[in-house]
Amino acid sequence: MTSYFEINYFKRLAKINYILLVIYISISITAHIIANRLSLIDGYPIISAGYIYMACYVLTDIFACFNSRRLVILLIFLEAVANIIFIVITNIINSMPYPSFFHHAQAYRTVFSPILVLYFANLIGTFVASVIDLYIFYYLYRVKRWCFTIASLTSSVFTLTLYTYITDYFGFRGSFPLHVWQITNINVITNFMTLVIYTLMAQILVFYLHKILNKTP
């Protein structure tokens, strides 16, 4: 018979999953929107998505702390679906006729048109990399019992490097053909730096979530 504690545990876990899924999808869509907006730090061009997208990687590891692999893969799939819905609607609106007094249609095309290419590059790189990362993390954290920070960073080293080069090259060679390798190399460094920051923050969150899920009434 299912105990009262187990019922409350899964109720709390469902609420946590809903909250984290909203944050996860919101960050992913935002990252796609701002990806083609380069910023400059000390003379180096930075892909703006690099500031936030590594949080998605860390969130999948947080999901894996409390959920089955199958469910986490479903959540990664939902992220891809949410992005394609956003992109399809955006491209439909961009292709619709507009009144003569609206003078900004080309600006919308310039901003949103490259997102479709970036999405398909991400679909190849991110989805495969996320699933591989998930299996490695799951083994290190759930089987080998490594702490969250070490397991998450270790699982991301290989997959992140592979994902970044695949995604950035195919995603940005059309927009920035003369600088695509420079941008990609810098983005690898940016991704690792932000990954460390988000992982350290996530360690605190995982500890807090464990307390919430395991508290007794």
Side-chain angles (χ1 to χ4, degrees):
M1 180 180 292
T2 304
S3 68
Y4 180 75
F5 172 79
E6 288 175 315
I7 294 174
N8 276 276
Y9 179 92
F10 287 112
K11 283 183 178 179
R12 293 169 190 156
L13 181 58
K15 291 178 182 178
I16 290 170
N17 283 339
Y18 294 146
I19 294 171
L20 293 181
L21 181 60
V22 170
I23 297 171
Y24 178 56
I25 292 177
S26 298
I27 291 174
S28 179
I29 292 177
T30 304
H32 278 82
I33 294 173
I34 65 175
N36 281 281
R37 171 55 163 96
L38 300 184
S39 57
L40 207 63
I41 296 181
D42 197 27
Y44 294 102
I46 309 294
I47 297 172
S48 296
Y51 299 127
I52 61 172
Y53 194 65
M54 289 304 100
C56 288
Y57 260 81
V58 176
L59 281 168
T60 59
D61 289 343
I62 295 176
F63 282 128
C65 289
F66 310 103
N67 298 281
S68 66
R69 279 190 298 246
R70 183 177 296 180
L71 179 59
V72 182
I73 291 173
L74 174 62
L75 298 178
I76 296 171
F77 175 76
L78 289 176
E79 178 219 357
V81 171
N83 273 294
I84 196 61
I85 292 172
F86 154 70
I87 292 167
V88 168
I89 293 174
T90 301
N91 278 274
I92 290 173
I93 296 298
N94 263 337
S95 64
M96 292 176 67
Y98 52 90
S100 58
F101 57 81
F102 181 70
H103 305 296
H104 307 291
Q106 188 55 47
Y108 277 84
R109 292 194 182 97
T110 301
V111 171
F112 291 112
S113 293
I115 295 177
L116 184 61
V117 176
L118 179 63
Y119 171 78
F120 284 111
N122 250 338
L123 190 63
I124 298 170
T126 308
F127 189 83
V128 174
S130 295
V131 173
I132 294 173
D133 177 79
L134 170 64
Y135 273 82
I136 297 173
F137 173 82
Y138 205 88
Y139 173 76
L140 296 177
Y141 184 78
R142 302 286 287 268
V143 178
K144 302 299 288 184
R145 300 293 181 181
W146 289 17
C147 75
F148 175 86
T149 302
I150 304 301
S152 183
L153 287 174
T154 302
S155 65
S156 299
V157 169
F158 170 75
T159 52
L160 179 57
T161 304
L162 178 64
Y163 140 78
T164 303
Y165 277 105
I166 293 175
T167 302
D168 287 6
Y169 177 73
F170 289 104
F172 296 104
R173 64 176 181 172
S175 303
F176 314 106
L178 300 179
H179 302 88
V180 63
W181 285 118
Q182 178 193 19
I183 292 171
T184 301
N185 289 330
I186 293 173
N187 196 38
V188 169
I189 298 172
T190 306
N191 283 347
F192 275 115
M193 292 173 65
T194 55
L195 179 69
V196 171
I197 295 171
Y198 287 125
T199 303
L200 292 174
M201 294 169 60
Q203 176 67 75
I204 300 172
L205 178 60
V206 168
F207 176 76
Y208 178 67
L209 293 178
H210 270 297
K211 290 186 65 175
I212 292 178
L213 290 172
N214 292 288
K215 71 177 180 180
T216 54

